Amino acid sequence: MKKTVFLGALTVAGLAAGAAAAGTLDDVKARGKLNCGVTTGLVGFAAPDANGEWSGFDVAVCRAVAAAVLGDSKAVEFVPTTGKTRFTALASGEIDMLARNTTWTFSRDVDLKFTFVGVNYYDGQGFMVPKSLGVSSAKELDGSTVCIQTGTTTELNLADFFRANNISYEPVPIETNAEGQQQYLAGACDTYTTDASGLASTRATFENPGDHVLLPEIISKEPLGPLVRHGDDEWGDVVRWSLNALITAEELGVTSANIGEMSAAAGDNPEINRLLGTEGNLGEMLGLSADWAKNAISADGNFGEIFEKHLGESTPIGLARGLNAQWTEGGLIYSPPFR
Amino acid sequence: MTTLSDPPKEGFQLSQLIYDTRYRSMTIQIVALIGFLVLIGWLISNTAQNLADLGKEPSFRFLSEPAGYDINQRLLEYDSQDTHLRAALIGLLNTLLVAVMGCITATIIGVTVGVMRLSNNWLVSRLTAVYVEMFRNVPVLLWIVFIMAVLIETLPAPRDFRGETPTASMSLNETVAITNRGVYVPEPLFSRSLGDVHLFGNSGLRFDVSLDLIAILLVLGLGLFASNRIKKRADSIQESTGDRPTTWYLRLGVVVLPLVALLFALGFYLGYPELKGFNFRGGTHLRNSLIALWLALSLYTAAFIAEIVRAGIMAINKGQTEAAAALGLRSNRIMNLVILPQALRVIIPPLISNYLNLTKNSSLAIAVGYMDITGTLGGITLNQTGRELETLLLLMLCYLIISLSISAVMNWYNESVKLRER
């Protein structure tokens, strides 16, 4: 009898370890906090401000999910991850989701066993050089020293680009964006390469941003998006539709300013009503409260508001919407319908 | 009257395993061993089960796939189309390079500082004490990052060497360029090279051996052997006649002349670094990352070695020094001939663990972007393939083998300097 109990306990322990991957939604609800993986600091995407509060474009996605699940956009534990540690952190369950300008690629989706729930920023890899270097095209970079964040897709794109153009380079691998910035500014590398948005955000923090230019070549497609572990579709749905809620809200004109009024009572537009939970039971289907999307949108505004606030032309980073405009305005941002 | 000649015969009972002191300890050990093995087995099967649930069965096939990334410092030829195995090998060689260079400099600095710390000169002993305490009490990672930051921030960038009025210039008669990307020194080249031998065909482990290098080592070895023979001959003449023939020019000539002749035959010349395009080209490029890591590891470990050397010397009875002095030996000969040989017996065993520490600490290389095996196999390869378990097991195996080899060599050396008991 005792032996059976012991073996049973062993089995339970084994199963518990195995089952940790499933049921993330319940885990988050029970914990009352969302563990969200972000960068170690990339202004505009995720960086702590003077008060230690995280803010940024990726952070806004974390906050929206936390608001949708827990009703509180502050109930997020931000876990800074490097390009190297992020996947291990997600696979091991240390974080519930990763929103760390991570490129959606085949091997990450299929081989690393992650589920990308969508794209929140369409990016591409670029090069930044000091103006004084007099370089106007990436193809003139033969023999240059290139600073590159290790453990990223940019590392592979870089190797491919230089091989395809039959020119040589010297990679200087670095661990974090801050390190890259230091080496680049000291002239230890001629050029710094990463996603163009990251370069713009890094340049914005320089003393003299005007002394540095981004080269015209964009050498890769980098669709950046939040991701979760494979095999927990319920949780994947929650994150996916939280992001879609932000996008749809912009498309339908739901903003943080008018959301209180719009969600008070069912209006004329049935899709808005379904989104905000005044009609239908979409929230219940996700295992969330009826006002989940309202909470998500109130957290930091709709997709467009988030973009303008953290990356847009009024910020020091000054990125144009470009590919990241709504599909109705010639961009690629498109959410499936709330129905 | 009868006497009992035999002890009473008893059958073996299971309870004896617990109550009989002859068997009890054995029983406990076996039970503990079984428990331990069950625990290990459970850990392994649990890991395997969880990985299977994730759909990630352990597999080492990724090693033969193209790595796709470039490595800046490579001792063997490598490009991004080579396999992950090849990338791991390049990383392994980088680890070994910095470990060997580090061990050598750490020993030299450590022994010097250890002896100097015992000096009667107040200034010398205090300065070395400050050095030891500073390096021993700050984490080595900080030293690595600090030295790297100093190199990057204080040295001129290659672009400072350019233009009408360059703000920086090359040192040592225009032969050495010291930049914040590293130091470029002249490299030895041969105009009539013997070529290379290619080993292991086209596999991931292929490498080329330079015949020039082999020829040079061979001639140097033969020269040293001949020089040794001359010394032995001089010794025997001295023993039989009491006169020692002057042999230094013979011994020097026998080593140097053939070497010079060989270098001349091979067409030896130096390739100087030159500023071309973005960087210096030509010459040997000692990267900042290597210099920072090497210096930091050497200086850090040398502080420990200095203490070991000091302890070893202080373990030798003062009477030995006094006896040697009474025989009329000068103080540096006392140190070299009397004290150090005896102190070595105390010094070697802890020295081994410091060599091991230095080698293992070299895995901090990634902090400055030095592509050692932790950076290639345990860094980029792990990240691109997502094979955490496999790469880390391989990595642990590599470090285990390196460390055990160092231990084996040093233990063999320890045997040879051990006190011979007769």
Side-chain angles (χ1 to χ4, degrees), chain A residues 18 83-84 111-113 140 142-143 145 150-152 155-156 159 163 169-171 173 182-183 186-190, chain B residues 46 50 54-56 68 70 72 80-81 152-153 157 159 180-181 278-279 281 287 367 369 371 380 383-386:
Chain A
K84 239 173 87 178
D111 193 35
L112 294 189
K113 310 289 180 196
E140 294 167 19
D142 190 13
T145 303
T150 182
T152 58
E155 203 164 33
L156 306 183
R163 191 161 63 91
Y169 72 107
E170 154 117 4
Q182 183 208 358
Q183 297 230 15
C189 39
D190 297 304
Chain B
N46 192 34
N50 283 341
L54 277 174
K56 288 168 80 168
D70 285 297
N72 48 12
S80 59
Q81 289 312 290
I152 288 179
E153 300 291 346
R159 65 174 96 111
N180 67 351
R181 292 177 192 173
F278 295 98
N279 282 316
R281 300 269 175 96
R287 284 174 182 77
M371 283 285 113
I380 308 178
N383 216 277
Q384 305 294 6
T385 61

Side-chain angles (χ1 to χ4, degrees), chain B residues 256-326:
Chain B
V256 172
L257 284 182
L259 202 61
V260 170
L262 176 73
L263 289 180
F264 185 74
L266 290 173
F268 173 83
Y269 66 98
L270 285 175
Y272 295 106
E274 254 183 290
L275 189 59
K276 266 188 195 160
F278 295 98
N279 282 316
F280 281 89
R281 300 269 175 96
T284 301
H285 183 190
L286 298 172
R287 284 174 182 77
N288 262 347
S289 49
L290 171 67
I291 297 175
L293 186 66
W294 172 41
L295 273 185
L297 286 177
S298 305
L299 290 173
Y300 178 79
T301 314
F304 289 88
I305 294 181
E307 287 300 273
I308 293 168
V309 169
R310 189 168 70 107
I313 292 172
M314 290 178 76
I316 308 301
N317 197 325
K318 200 161 191 307
Q320 297 273 335
T321 319
E322 288 167 354

Side-chain angles (χ1 to χ4, degrees), chain A residues 3-328:
Chain A
K3 202 189 276 174
T4 331
V5 170
F6 176 67
L7 286 179
L10 269 188
T11 325
V12 169
L15 283 178
T24 312
L25 180 57
D26 296 333
D27 287 352
V28 173
K29 280 182 179 166
R31 202 189 303 131
K33 231 173 187 169
L34 172 76
N35 291 334
C36 191
V38 290
T39 69
T40 49
L42 180 62
V43 174
F45 282 90
D49 64 13
N51 305 321
E53 284 277 311
W54 284 84
S55 76
F57 191 64
D58 281 336
V59 166
V61 176
C62 299
R63 292 207 187 279
V65 173
V69 176
L70 304 165
D72 177 8
S73 66
K74 301 266 182 229
V76 191
E77 176 86 32
F78 290 99
V79 180
T81 56
T82 66
K84 239 173 87 178
T85 59
R86 56 183 163 179
F87 296 128
T88 319
L90 182 59
S92 67
E94 187 191 341
I95 53 179
D96 303 311
M97 61 177 283
L98 182 66
R100 191 206 175 278
N101 39 30
T102 299
T103 308
W104 185 351
T105 67
F106 180 94
S107 61
R108 282 175 180 173
D109 199 332
V110 177
D111 193 35
L112 294 189
K113 310 289 180 196
F114 295 124
T115 299
F116 283 82
V117 299
V119 175
N120 67 342
Y121 193 92
Y122 287 93
D123 210 340
Q125 184 176 347
F127 293 91
M128 174 164 60
V129 292
K131 246 184 198 157
S132 57
L133 209 56
V135 172
S136 59
S137 157
K139 290 180 183 160
E140 294 167 19
L141 289 173
D142 190 13
S144 61
T145 303
V146 183
C147 273
I148 173 112
Q149 276 194 56
T150 182
T152 58
T153 48
T154 47
E155 203 164 33
L156 306 183
N157 297 331
L158 181 71
D160 284 354
F161 175 77
F162 277 83
R163 191 161 63 91
N165 287 295
N166 202 17
I167 49 182
S168 68
Y169 72 107
E170 154 117 4
V172 174
I174 45 149
E175 189 82 322
T176 63
N177 192 50
E179 233 176 277
Q181 197 172 319
Q182 183 208 358
Q183 297 230 15
Y184 171 75
L185 285 178
C189 39
D190 297 304
T191 170
Y192 182 34
T193 179
T194 184
D195 294 341
S197 63
L199 289 179
S201 117
T202 305
R203 186 174 62 166
T205 63
F206 287 176
E207 220 171 297
N208 300 312
D211 293 349
H212 303 270
V213 285
L214 303 192
L215 297 180
E217 281 89 352
I218 295 292
I219 65 168
S220 66
K221 288 192 286 189
E222 309 281 344
L224 311 180
L227 55 154
V228 297
R229 282 179 294 276
H230 245 288
D232 189 355
D233 292 344
E234 234 175 75
W235 175 243
D237 287 343
V238 168
V239 181
R240 175 177 300 115
W241 287 96
S242 300
L243 175 62
N244 285 339
L246 301 181
I247 295 173
T248 307
E250 188 194 8
E251 189 186 339
L252 299 178
V254 181
T255 66
S256 51
N258 64 18
I259 190 161
E261 179 193 329
M262 281 184 157
S263 61
D268 299 335
N269 186 332
E271 186 151 18
I272 295 182
N273 293 345
R274 282 195 297 272
L275 176 69
L276 299 180
T278 49
E279 189 182 314
N281 57 348
L282 295 184
E284 194 186 316
M285 290 180 201
L286 273 178
L288 301 175
S289 63
D291 60 353
W292 67 281
K294 176 196 161 229
N295 293 336
I297 299 161
S298 323
D300 214 6
N302 66 32
F303 186 83
E305 286 176 286
I306 295 170
F307 194 100
E308 284 313 319
K309 189 163 156 194
H310 299 296
L311 302 173
E313 276 161 343
S314 59
T315 65
I317 297 157
L319 289 171
R321 283 297 286 268
L323 287 177
N324 298 295
Q326 287 284 337
W327 64 286
T328 46

